[in-house]
Amino acid sequence: MNDVQLKELVEQVVRQVVQQLDVPPTPANKGKGDWGVFDDMNDAVEAAHEAFKLYKERSKQCRKEITDAVRQMTLDHKEELAKMTVEETKMGRVNHKIAKLVNAAKNSPGVEYLQPQAWSGRNGLALDDYAPFGVIGNITPATHPGPTMINNIIIQLAGGNTVAFNPHPSAKRVNALVIKLANQYMVRAGAPPNLVTCVKEPTLDTAKTLFNHEKVDLLSVTGGPEVVAMAMNCPKKVIAAGPGNPPVLIDETADLELAAKEITQSASYDNNVLCIAEKEIFVVDSVFEQFMDEMEKAGNVRLTSVQMDALAKAALFQSGKHWLISRDYVGRNANVLGKAIGLSLSDEVPLLYGETDRNHPWVVSEQMTSCIPVIRVKDFDDGLQASLKAEHGFRHTASIFTKDIHRATKFTRVMDCDVHTINGGTLRGDGGDLGEGYFSHTIATPTGEGICTPLDFVRKRRIMTHGALRFT
Ligand code: NAD
């Protein structure tokens, strides 16, 4: 599908939805902006600011109805959003994109997280409750443009905020469609227009406008090191979901079949674009070859070390001190990577894997694609040190397969990450259907919020009634 066809598909979907919804004209589709999509970032922020003035008068129950409308929109449009994402970004797999959209719709935490707290005593009654910040300036990644935007809309609107987005340029069409559909469904559920807005042609300049706009009260940023550093330089509160490079350590007590199956499911999911997905595997020497065999049994294709080097040469490059992956290789199917080194493989192959040393570009880069290095380590302690180094101090995600609870404890204490999994794929670590606990696409490691909920996007406020309304 070329650009013109893609644009026509978007317009056709929007037309169909508007007809089905029978939504009356509102300020959102008059004048500037098209259901929240604006040519100018300043207009996008102004519109979100006007929307905030109306939205802040709404009750928590009303916010629930409005965010439920976004959940419903996602379920109704999951197939076309998933297909469009793969067409536009060339990353990932359609079935996994659909699953991620369903997960964001079903499992993103909502207003139920905002439970007030009260204290009653001889001096009266104190009540802590939550108030919105205002307009949130939000940057979304190319790797899961729809689900991140939808998850962030739900958790940030649940807190009573409105949101102006600067989507990733390589996902601007699908993100504009999400904004339009979300506004249409929310208006139908009784919301004011423009609760969420975005700029049609996002660039680094529009991101700077968003960061520095006086009507943006809080920044919520998801992306690589560059965008996180830039946001953290802003004199505003920032919630930053930055990069990771999750290591897995497998010791000689581990269930190797389980480890291979779990890692295969998790690291191949949507071609490894998840920030929490395993990026390198350290295996204790005495069980190394057995583990490599189990990876093959799980359907993966083993590369020789020479092939790992050749693929690294094609896909990875050095920028200053860092190894990065070329955009053309992010989130690609294993057979596409295989083709680059002359292999003809089935589209069904989950991962390519092969032995490298611990300083190899495949280990130090956050590769986000269907190839994973496996490194021999002497013992548990050697593997722990190697894992610590490979994680680069991001403190994002790490996992271990072991039957020794003391080693698991030591691993999690030393790695000190926001997300750890023990004897399971890291995909299970951020909630959703495969894990436990609440889910979010925003794991704010650099700023310390961890897996975000609406509680991270509200101001805590207190009311104290002196000498009255006390029961004790
Ligand atoms: P990216 O850094 O290339 O882009 C993210 C966004 O930042 C885009 O909108 C881009 O236009 C913008 N941007 C980039 N440089 C900028 C700058 N100097 N100033 C202003 N804006 C800038 O990231 P990506 O490839 O879209 O996403 C992948 C990265 O995001 C990975 O590092 C991944 O680990 C991380 N990520 C983290 C989480 C988390 O929850 N911690 C979730 C998803 C993705």
Side-chain angles (χ1 to χ4, degrees):
M1 189 181 280
N2 61 31
D3 276 10
V4 176
Q5 288 167 323
L6 195 60
K7 193 162 170 255
E8 277 170 9
L9 177 67
V10 177
E11 281 167 4
Q12 189 193 339
V13 171
V14 171
R15 267 198 309 278
Q16 279 170 0
V17 172
V18 173
Q19 279 161 8
Q20 282 164 16
L21 287 175
D22 193 22
V23 177
T26 74
N29 51 8
K30 278 193 199 159
K32 282 182 185 171
D34 178 12
W35 288 105
V37 181
F38 290 80
D39 290 332
D40 185 324
M41 180 53 93
N42 289 303
D43 291 336
V45 175
E46 289 293 341
H49 179 68
E50 289 306 308
F52 176 68
K53 288 194 223 160
L54 300 171
Y55 190 50
K56 73 177 185 187
E57 303 305 326
R58 301 295 179 90
S59 65
K60 241 186 250 175
Q61 289 85 343
C62 178
R63 286 188 218 156
K64 177 169 176 357
E65 282 163 23
I66 286 170
T67 48
D68 280 352
V70 178
R71 296 181 200 271
Q72 191 57 50
M73 176 283 286
T74 309
L75 296 175
D76 290 349
H77 295 278
K78 57 185 186 298
E79 277 96 6
E80 66 249 42
L81 290 175
K83 279 189 205 139
M84 229 181 121
T85 306
V86 175
E87 293 275 355
E88 190 179 2
T89 65
K90 316 272 184 300
M91 293 179 198
R93 292 180 182 257
V94 171
N95 57 336
H96 293 157
K97 298 275 181 215
I98 292 174
K100 288 202 301 191
L101 287 161
V102 172
N103 187 44
K106 278 173 40 191
N107 296 320
S108 295
V111 294
E112 69 283 358
Y113 270 74
L114 305 174
Q115 296 300 330
Q117 217 181 343
W119 296 262
S120 166
R122 66 168 174 248
N123 295 318
L125 180 79
L127 172 75
D128 277 10
D129 206 352
Y130 303 103
F133 275 94
V135 177
I136 298 180
N138 192 313
I139 301 265
T140 48
T143 44
H144 353 268
T148 303
M149 188 176 253
I150 288 156
N151 169 260
N152 280 199
I153 290 174
I154 293 169
I155 62 180
Q156 294 174 8
L157 260 57
N161 309 285
T162 61
V163 194
F165 285 92
N166 192 70
H168 197 286
S170 55
K172 64 186 176 190
R173 291 199 187 92
V174 70
N175 275 141
L177 179 58
V178 170
I179 292 290
K180 286 183 192 181
L181 292 171
N183 276 314
Q184 285 160 5
Y185 271 68
M186 289 193 289
V187 165
R188 194 186 184 197
N194 296 323
L195 288 187
V196 293
T197 64
C198 74
V199 69
K200 196 170 165 190
E201 297 292 339
T203 61
L204 292 187
D205 282 342
T206 57
K208 282 179 198 153
T209 305
L210 182 68
F211 285 168
N212 296 311
H213 201 292
E214 59 173 8
K215 288 183 180 159
V216 169
D217 303 283
L218 168 69
L219 297 176
S220 168
V221 167
T222 304
E226 204 186 343
V227 65
V228 168
M230 176 155 169
M232 305 264 278
N233 276 332
C234 242
K236 279 185 187 170
K237 182 174 164 70
V238 179
I239 295 180
N245 194 33
V248 195
L249 175 54
I250 297 169
D251 79 4
E252 70 282 12
T253 71
D255 179 335
L256 300 177
E257 184 187 344
L258 173 80
K261 282 188 177 155
E262 282 288 316
I263 293 168
T264 300
Q265 178 189 39
S266 175
S268 72
Y269 192 75
D270 212 17
N271 294 341
N272 199 286
V273 291
L274 290 169
C275 57
I276 60 164
E278 296 86 349
K279 300 287 187 291
E280 58 275 336
I281 309 171
F282 296 99
V283 187
V284 167
D285 192 25
S286 59
V287 292
F288 186 88
E289 280 306 328
Q290 262 174 282
F291 173 74
M292 295 302 257
D293 291 346
E294 291 297 342
M295 283 293 279
E296 198 148 26
K297 282 189 215 154
N300 305 299
V301 169
R302 184 171 180 174
L303 301 185
T304 63
S305 295
V306 173
Q307 287 172 319
M308 289 295 279
D309 290 347
L311 190 52
K313 217 168 167 191
L316 307 175
F317 67 96
Q318 203 164 10
S319 167
K321 283 193 289 182
H322 305 291
W323 280 93
L324 305 173
I325 179 156
S326 134
R327 276 273 159 201
D328 292 345
Y329 284 85
V330 178
R332 296 303 193 270
N333 291 4
N335 66 335
V336 175
L337 302 184
K339 209 169 161 197
I341 51 167
L343 299 177
S344 173
L345 302 171
S346 150
D347 188 41
E348 301 297 308
V349 172
L351 290 170
L352 306 180
Y353 72 105
E355 183 172 0
T356 68
D357 66 52
R358 63 186 69 189
N359 299 313
H360 198 278
W362 281 120
V363 178
V364 295
S365 64
E366 187 195 14
Q367 75 269 29
M368 298 186 289
T369 201
S370 309
C371 178
I372 191 159
V374 193
I375 305 97
R376 232 177 256 271
V377 292
K378 206 161 58 113
D379 52 24
F380 166 77
D381 285 309
D382 183 34
L384 175 55
Q385 289 314 313
S387 300
L388 197 58
K389 188 167 176 220
E391 214 271 327
H392 303 305
F394 290 137
R395 299 196 294 175
H396 192 296
T397 297
S399 84
I400 182 165
F401 286 83
T402 181
K403 291 197 181 114
D404 184 332
I405 194 73
H406 301 292
R407 284 182 179 175
T409 307
K410 184 171 177 185
F411 183 83
T412 58
R413 287 181 69 86
V414 173
M415 294 302 297
D416 195 20
C417 289
D418 281 356
V419 180
H420 288 108
T421 58
I422 298 170
N423 295 326
T426 49
L427 182 58
R428 299 184 187 277
D430 71 349
D433 290 336
L434 291 178
E436 296 297 336
Y438 60 88
F439 163 80
S440 178
H441 264 299
T442 293
I443 303 171
T445 300
T447 48
E449 291 79 7
I451 304 175
C452 288
T453 75
L455 276 173
D456 297 303
F457 301 98
V458 285
R459 295 160 50 221
K460 211 186 222 185
R461 295 180 55 194
R462 174 165 296 180
I463 295 175
M464 172 70 207
T465 308
H466 178 218
L469 297 180
R470 46 173 283 218
F471 305 110
T472 58

